[in-house]
Amino acid sequence: MRTKSFLALACLGLALSTTAASADTLAAKELRALAPGRYNVDIMGGMISMIVTLYPNGRIAGVAKGQKDSGTWQVRGTQMCIAWSKWLGGSNHCSALDDQGDKLRGSSFTIKHI
């Protein structure tokens, strides 16, 4: 139970994170180009690591601490929006992503292509 609570908290950090738009913020076209792709997502400075797969049809799949979930993703303006099926009660959360060279950064997470 403690693992599930910590995982839910970490996913909440990922989903609720927003960043102010900057010169390096990915545009809608760049966000859509992330799929198909498989990514390592480090949340809260690496306290939790997730493997996330984005599919061009708007589906997403993730694994963290042995827990699996799937859902949908879409682009709204310069933000990527994700709604997991189980994690976070299925609610939709959006975040801008900044290009940092070898990774992308939200306010409390980083994403790296694997």
Side-chain angles (χ1 to χ4, degrees):
M1 184 65 176
R2 189 172 179 184
T3 299
K4 287 184 181 181
S5 297
F6 189 67
L7 179 60
L9 179 63
C11 289
L12 181 62
L14 171 65
L16 293 180
S17 300
T18 58
T19 56
S22 72
D24 296 325
T25 299
L26 297 185
K29 184 176 180 178
E30 294 169 306
L31 290 170
R32 286 186 195 93
L34 295 174
R38 187 176 159 125
Y39 301 89
N40 184 65
V41 180
D42 285 329
I43 304 165
M44 297 184 303
M47 290 178 66
I48 293 284
S49 287
M50 300 175 67
I51 301 297
V52 173
T53 304
L54 298 176
Y55 299 97
N57 65 356
R59 301 296 301 162
I60 187 171
V63 178
K65 295 242 179 207
Q67 303 291 315
K68 295 180 181 181
D69 199 2
S70 62
T72 60
W73 72 276
Q74 62 182 305
V75 174
R76 290 186 185 164
T78 59
Q79 294 191 334
M80 177 179 284
C81 300
I82 295 173
W84 294 104
S85 297
K86 295 181 280 187
W87 297 336
L88 305 173
S91 57
N92 196 46
H93 299 279
C94 302
S95 179
L97 299 176
D98 288 339
D99 186 347
Q100 305 238 309
D102 67 336
K103 61 188 169 193
L104 303 174
R105 180 175 296 281
S107 63
S108 66
F109 62 93
T110 58
I111 300 172
K112 188 170 185 172
H113 190 266
I114 53 174

